[in-house]
Amino acid sequence: MSELLDRHRAVMPNWMPVYYGDDALEIVSGSGRRVTAADGRTYLDFFGGVLTTMIGYDVAEISDAVRRQIGTGVAHTSTLYLIRQQVELAEKIARLSGIPDARVFFTNSGTEANESALLMATNVRRSNQILAIKNSYHGRTFGTMAITGHRTWSSSSLSPFTVNWLASADRLRGRMARLSDADLIEAAVDDLREVLATVTAGDVAALIAEPIQGVGGFVAGPDGLLGAYRKVLGEHGILLIADEVQTGWGRTGDHFWGYQAHDVVPDLITFAKGIGNGFALGGVVGSATVMNAVPAISFSTFGGNPISAAAGNAVLDYVLDHDLQGNARRVGTILLDGLRALDHAIVGQVRGRGLMIGIEFVRPGTTEPDPGATLRVFDLCRAGGLLVGKGGLHGNVLRIGPPLTLTEEEAREGLTVLADAIAVADGESVF
Ligand SMILES: Cc1ncc(COP(=O)(O)O)c(C=O)c1O
């Protein structure tokens, strides 16, 4: 065990997990899609600090933009003064959002972005009733935990909202398993109608949904599901909030936003993680009517400050100038096809889109989750020089979310490590 891990454990709370147990990694430098750890080993990074290092490490365009801002001597002014970088970034996000007459509010995190969206939705609708999806993750405050449908991440039942739940679209087990896309959408819409008719009290403020559930193990409903929900929501004036904290900026390859697979435009979109490529930046974008509904002064001291906004502009320009959405689609297809071609009894499902790919591990011949095999593959990947993530309701999903700049060669290199790791774990599994 490293001396730093000892010190970490002595001073940090024990509910904040660190990967690799006693063999925890300290990343000390990075370049492109690779990081070097304190032990001198270099790893190909397929997780990007939880889908956050979206462009990669040591990217000149981003570092230069941040250095230029630091060079002015101004790291912070507060939003009491005009911030040119922030206005520019808001203009770009408003334009890209697909929402007419959009306004943008910047925050420091995805949690705070969702809190803000909920603040607006509950105010404009004068209701504290929220619909959320099981197996979701939306953050770590009381409000966002209340709408998080994942026991592992819910450490308090205190809630400012009355929350009612819709089923997740898990196709491997549970009530939606093995339904065709059309049947699933029909069942989900019936479920929504039933929830609205039976357990809500009058007007519901909003439904919040991740187009692809991130922490939940990259579970997603069929294309069109959010649009189908929206038709019913529209009958009641209920708003739709898309949590794009993981799915935004082209990561899914086919679309710039995850919601675009669903034939719908949400009322509010929340974002964070990738847009700062590591600098703390999040926010919410929505129509002026909804965004302006907050009936008191509100501001975020650090949200969209000159440094993070400079980073955000550089990141967004990079994504668009280099067509990283197209790259996510191309390179993601190599990964998805390669993983789907593997034939191992412990692999229950390979799913995903673009550079957001999940591999779910099960006991051979069943759909019973196998977190042990997942951990084994996860550790073997690290031994083979590849960093990946874990997640899913049962801790049995390997999560792959590399920087969107991943090259085809790097995708094939990572695929080889993954294939070897899965083959070893499969060989060890007891039938
Ligand atoms: C979909 C989604 N929403 C919200 C959050 C919360 O973001 P943050 O950790 O920046 O508060 C996360 C974090 O993983 C997330 O994946």
Side-chain angles (χ1 to χ4, degrees):
M1 191 171 14
S2 76
E3 174 249 6
L4 187 60
L5 180 59
D6 266 345
R7 286 169 53 198
H8 176 104
R9 285 182 175 160
V11 78
M12 303 286 186
N14 64 5
W15 41 259
M16 194 174 76
V18 176
Y19 275 168
Y20 306 116
D22 287 349
D23 221 3
L25 268 183
E26 181 196 2
I27 292 173
V28 292
S29 65
S31 173
R33 273 68 52 199
R34 291 182 202 272
V35 292
T36 301
D39 63 6
R41 280 199 73 186
T42 294
Y43 298 88
L44 182 59
D45 187 358
F46 267 23
F47 205 37
V50 196
L51 289 78
T52 299
T53 307
M54 183 170 75
I55 310 292
Y57 299 88
D58 196 22
V59 180
E61 286 85 339
I62 301 165
S63 314
D64 290 349
V66 169
R67 271 192 212 103
R68 265 196 307 279
Q69 184 57 42
I70 292 174
T72 66
V74 177
H76 174 74
T77 63
S78 91
T79 45
L80 296 175
Y81 308 99
L82 297 175
I83 303 173
R84 184 169 297 274
Q85 302 272 19
Q86 188 184 93
V87 174
E88 281 173 11
L89 183 56
E91 286 168 347
K92 290 176 199 165
I93 293 173
R95 180 173 52 78
L96 289 162
S97 70
I99 297 173
D101 194 24
R103 302 288 185 275
V104 184
F105 176 69
F106 290 105
T107 65
N108 307 292
S109 68
T111 297
E112 209 192 329
N114 284 329
E115 283 281 345
S116 306
L118 293 162
L119 176 71
M120 290 150 194
T122 50
N123 267 298
V124 80
R125 294 280 297 153
R126 307 306 304 160
S127 160
N128 80 332
Q129 295 182 76
I130 300 292
L131 300 175
I133 315 272
K134 292 175 188 169
N135 194 40
S136 59
Y137 179 77
H138 295 292
R140 56 170 303 281
T141 50
F142 287 116
T144 53
M145 246 191 308
I147 52 161
T148 285
H150 200 305
R151 170 64 191 87
T152 317
W153 296 86
S154 298
S155 48
S156 171
S157 64
L158 296 176
S159 170
F161 307 117
T162 298
V163 183
N164 284 297
W165 297 93
L166 303 180
S168 95
D170 189 334
R171 312 298 280 275
L172 201 57
R173 64 182 72 78
R175 69 159 98 156
M176 299 294 191
R178 286 176 288 280
L179 292 185
S180 71
D181 286 0
D183 287 349
L184 190 149
I185 290 179
E186 201 183 313
V189 168
D190 284 350
D191 182 36
L192 170 60
R193 284 194 190 281
E194 189 182 289
V195 165
L196 288 173
T198 56
V199 286
T200 60
D203 293 342
V204 170
L207 163 64
I208 184 163
E210 298 159 88
I212 298 177
Q213 295 184 320
V215 169
F218 297 169
V219 168
D223 286 2
L225 175 61
L226 295 182
Y229 277 149
R230 178 51 190 261
K231 288 201 180 82
V232 179
L233 300 176
E235 293 165 14
H236 302 267
I238 301 169
L239 305 181
L240 175 66
I241 305 172
D243 179 340
E244 299 268 1
V245 166
Q246 295 210 12
T247 42
W249 322 110
R251 174 164 294 280
T252 65
D254 295 333
H255 306 96
F256 190 75
W257 302 105
Y259 81 72
Q260 287 166 327
H262 293 273
D263 194 22
V264 70
V265 178
D267 298 285
L268 292 159
I269 301 168
T270 58
F271 56 86
K273 287 199 188 287
I275 185 62
N277 201 50
F279 289 89
L281 181 63
V284 52
V285 52
S287 71
T289 331
V290 180
M291 293 287 292
N292 288 336
V294 177
I297 286 177
S298 189
F299 92 150
S300 165
T301 296
F302 294 123
N305 83 9
I307 304 274
S308 61
N313 274 301
V315 168
L316 194 46
D317 292 347
Y318 197 103
V319 167
L320 299 173
D321 293 348
H322 295 79
D323 184 24
L324 294 191
Q325 180 186 326
N327 192 60
R329 186 175 51 241
R330 263 188 315 279
V331 180
T333 302
I334 294 173
L335 277 173
L336 265 170
D337 288 351
L339 290 168
R340 286 189 172 133
L342 302 177
D343 184 18
H344 292 296
I346 58 171
V347 176
Q349 198 176 48
V350 173
R351 57 178 175 253
R353 193 160 211 161
L355 286 172
M356 197 166 178
I357 299 171
I359 312 171
E360 175 144 5
F361 292 94
V362 292
R363 297 209 157 274
T366 74
T367 57
E368 198 187 319
D370 193 343
T374 317
L375 185 61
R376 183 74 176 125
V377 175
F378 176 79
D379 285 336
L380 285 165
C381 282
R382 186 231 169 131
L386 183 73
L387 303 185
V388 291
K390 272 190 291 133
L393 194 58
H394 311 284
N396 67 324
V397 181
L398 219 63
R399 289 198 294 157
I400 296 167
L404 304 185
T405 47
L406 190 75
T407 66
E408 294 185 9
E409 296 69 37
E410 289 165 342
R412 292 205 173 86
E413 179 187 331
L415 193 55
T416 305
V417 178
L418 276 160
D420 290 349
I422 296 170
V424 170
D426 193 58
E428 291 169 356
S429 93
V430 185
F431 282 76

